[in-house]
Amino acid sequence: MSESLLDLDLDRAEPVLLRYAGAGPRYTSYPTAPVWSEHYGPEQLREDLGRLGPRDPLSLYVHVPFCKSLCHFCACNRVITRDAALPARFLDDVEREIAAARAALPEPGPVIQHHWGGGTPTHLSPLAVRRLFGAVCEGFPLAKGAEVSIEVDPRVTTPEHVEALRECGFERISLGVQDFDPRVQAAIHRVQSVEETADLVARARDAGFASVSFDLIYGLPFQTLESMARTLDSVLAIGPDRIALYAYAHVTWVAKQQRGFERHDLPEPKLRLRLQLEAFRRILRSGYVHVGMDHFARPEDELARALRDRTLRRNFMGYTTHAGLDLLGFGPSAISELTGAYAQSVREPDAWGEAVRERGLATLRGHRLSRDDQERRFAIGEIMCHGELRAADWKARFASDFATRFAAELRALDALERDGLVSVAADGSVRVSTLGRLVVRNVAMVFDAYLEGQQAAPKPLFSQTV
Ligand code: SF4
């Protein structure tokens, strides 16, 4: 993939890719969240937790929703506050939620992945970080060698935070960067210098963090090819182990403050695509591997290894290692992904806290997967993670003929094959091309049974695929 994307003729590729511009899911789950129902609540989650096996390894996610100021591009679930009382109450409530999940799952397996996201987890004081980590690990003990990771905002992360995080056992740190250009930073209301970012990386490496990753965004107001190249030069000079280069999602129905971006300040579709393609190539030329969609990693990084070993997995955290773990989410809006079911907690932090105090678990909605869902989830997962859906793998897993099962979908792939996005073998096996991996969501969309109804919905549900 890496070499061939570098060889791609961009002038020929762009018109093809632009034809696929449209709204589509990011497939961090299948079925996607709009399908989930409020008939699934705390009782259903308790039942599903009770069904997990005692030795099944677990992945944990903790959502810390607080931030000091609002970045205007942001569509995350967060609360802007400087009020110290809110985090204190949050800690009490998340401890209650952990206790409730623990009671539903009498013999939890070992935790081999433990991740905090937000919001800004380092909005919590170092003392609060220690308390929260202790509470989660008391309920769900870490396995030896577990992967422990956190997302941080360099603007609020102090040397004392770095010390507390390492003491707890965090070993992977992900920094929000987005863009270093001053004009872009002013427009998105997030001013963060190269120096403070590089300082935090140096401190983290000195403290023993094994892996550093950066989150960047293309498609922001005022970005140009030149400004993006300068940002990437600074990023590559610091040299994170992983880079996630996300597409800016203009989803004003979720993030109302994005309406403040004037339409003409945002790059038009052709420039937006060129920003992406040039940035991808710059990252690849620096020796990173394209893991999938928007993720890059150094060749020796576990994510790149997982890609090579076919153990790469996609969940709410994006691309991750360790396929097939049950994931338990804590905090407002957190998602749990269990064998055969998804559950999401109440989004709004006050309402989430009330629900936890009343019922222990704050489940707002969820979904139990039918056989059809499970088959399609497998197909979509193979395409999103491996760029390949092999008929033999299908047969081994579901004991049926792939080409017969998905005859209609394979016919729908004809048009994508003519455009050079996929190739389909005689037994129906699908391979996504280098060009196709740039619009891999569109390939996966062919296997989504719910999409037609969602696209006809009166309100938009998804961001743009290109
Ligand atoms: S981008 Fe991060 S720091 Fe900024 S508002 Fe969103 S969650 Fe908070």
Side-chain angles (χ1 to χ4, degrees):
M1 168 67 190
S2 313
E3 292 73 23
S4 19
L5 180 53
L6 288 174
D7 295 338
L8 211 62
D9 178 342
L10 297 193
D11 292 329
R12 289 179 61 178
E14 278 173 359
V16 179
L17 295 172
L18 286 170
R19 279 208 296 280
Y20 287 85
R26 293 174 52 79
Y27 292 117
T28 53
S29 72
Y30 182 82
T32 51
V35 171
W36 305 353
S37 151
E38 294 192 4
H39 294 302
Y40 187 107
E43 287 320 307
Q44 286 70 24
L45 178 56
R46 278 196 176 87
E47 285 170 19
D48 287 335
L49 287 172
R51 277 196 273 271
L52 300 187
R55 278 179 299 281
D56 292 351
L58 296 174
S59 174
L60 299 188
Y61 172 76
V62 183
H63 187 83
V64 182
F66 308 108
C67 298
K68 199 173 74 175
S69 65
L70 178 62
C71 308
H72 289 174
F73 61 84
C74 176
C76 295
N77 184 36
R78 59 340 190 212
V79 179
I80 309 304
T81 183
R82 289 168 191 253
D83 179 356
L86 291 185
R89 208 166 64 207
F90 167 78
L91 292 180
D92 291 343
D93 290 335
V94 88
E95 284 174 8
R96 286 190 184 96
E97 191 182 31
I98 289 164
R102 180 71 180 77
L105 209 172
E107 286 186 81
V111 173
I112 63 172
Q113 267 183 338
H114 179 135
H115 180 77
W116 292 11
T120 306
T122 46
H123 185 92
L124 299 178
S125 69
L127 194 64
V129 164
R130 288 187 174 94
R131 174 178 156 192
L132 179 57
F133 191 80
V136 185
C137 292
E138 196 184 321
F140 295 93
L142 276 181
K144 199 162 177 281
E147 184 186 299
V148 188
S149 55
I150 187 166
E151 296 163 18
V152 304
D153 177 347
R155 299 170 302 164
V156 300
T157 305
T158 63
E160 292 73 29
H161 277 114
V162 173
E163 195 186 320
L165 292 172
R166 278 299 295 142
E167 250 176 58
C168 289
F170 285 92
E171 53 162 21
R172 296 180 171 274
I173 192 165
S174 172
L175 281 67
V177 174
Q178 325 312 347
D179 191 292
F180 281 132
D181 184 79
R183 190 170 183 213
V184 176
Q185 289 194 349
I188 63 175
H189 198 238
R190 186 188 171 105
V191 176
Q192 174 181 328
S193 69
V194 176
E195 292 70 28
E196 68 186 318
T197 308
D199 280 356
L200 177 56
V201 171
R203 273 206 307 275
R205 293 216 192 271
D206 283 352
F209 274 91
S211 171
V212 172
S213 57
F214 277 10
D215 286 352
L216 308 173
I217 301 181
Y218 70 86
L220 290 171
F222 303 117
Q223 275 179 339
T224 63
L225 291 172
E226 296 72 29
S227 77
M228 194 78 193
R230 283 193 300 274
T231 288
L232 283 171
D233 284 347
S234 302
V235 165
L236 295 167
I238 299 172
D241 304 282
R242 295 179 186 176
I243 297 173
L245 175 58
Y246 296 109
Y248 164 64
H250 195 62
V251 287
T252 48
W253 60 95
V254 180
K256 294 195 174 34
Q257 82 284 353
Q258 292 180 343
R259 291 185 188 144
F261 293 156
E262 296 293 337
R263 197 76 228 173
H264 56 264
D265 295 343
L266 291 167
E268 42 80 32
K270 207 162 173 234
L271 173 58
R272 180 180 150 102
L273 178 60
R274 188 54 82 125
L275 285 167
Q276 178 197 9
L277 295 176
E278 295 288 5
F280 275 25
R281 283 148 78 106
R282 214 173 184 91
I283 296 169
L284 292 172
R285 277 198 297 268
S286 293
Y288 290 81
V289 173
H290 187 198
V291 173
M293 220 169 119
D294 34 29
H295 280 54
F296 298 83
R298 293 244 176 244
E300 64 281 6
D301 186 274
E302 281 174 30
L303 217 46
R305 272 213 301 275
L307 175 70
R308 287 193 291 273
D309 304 345
R310 280 184 88 98
T311 54
L312 191 68
R313 178 191 184 217
R314 190 157 171 78
N315 67 14
F316 302 99
M317 295 172 261
Y319 285 100
T320 169
T321 53
H322 300 299
L325 291 182
D326 290 305
L327 166 68
L328 308 189
F330 299 105
S333 78
I335 288 170
S336 296
E337 180 181 345
L338 309 176
T339 313
Y342 296 108
Q344 182 172 31
S345 292
V346 172
R347 278 181 68 86
E348 201 278 309
D350 281 343
W352 164 82
E354 264 172 45
V356 166
R357 272 168 259 142
E358 266 173 36
R359 294 172 290 164
L361 298 174
T363 317
L364 171 69
R365 59 178 177 169
H367 184 84
R368 284 184 173 142
L369 278 80
S370 65
R371 166 89 185 190
D372 183 74
D373 291 336
Q374 291 187 15
E375 292 182 354
R376 291 176 185 277
R377 176 163 76 168
F378 175 80
I380 288 172
E382 294 293 285
I383 287 169
M384 295 296 294
C385 293
H386 312 305
E388 193 180 25
L389 176 50
R390 300 188 294 215
D393 294 345
W394 173 272
K395 188 156 196 170
R397 195 174 181 101
F398 295 107
S400 68
D401 180 64
F402 174 74
T404 310
R405 166 69 175 89
F406 284 119
E409 287 76 5
L410 292 174
R411 277 196 301 278
L413 282 176
D414 280 350
L416 283 74
E417 192 168 25
R418 281 195 298 277
D419 278 335
L421 304 183
V422 295
S423 57
V424 180
D427 65 357
S429 296
V430 178
R431 180 185 276 271
V432 183
S433 69
T434 299
L435 189 64
R437 289 192 71 173
L438 294 167
V439 284
V440 67
R441 293 156 75 180
N442 297 71
V443 180
M445 281 156 66
V446 171
F447 291 86
D448 185 339
Y450 298 97
L451 193 62
E452 210 177 304
Q454 291 172 333
Q455 284 173 330
K459 275 168 56 179
L461 296 171
F462 304 115
S463 60
Q464 292 291 305
T465 58
V466 177

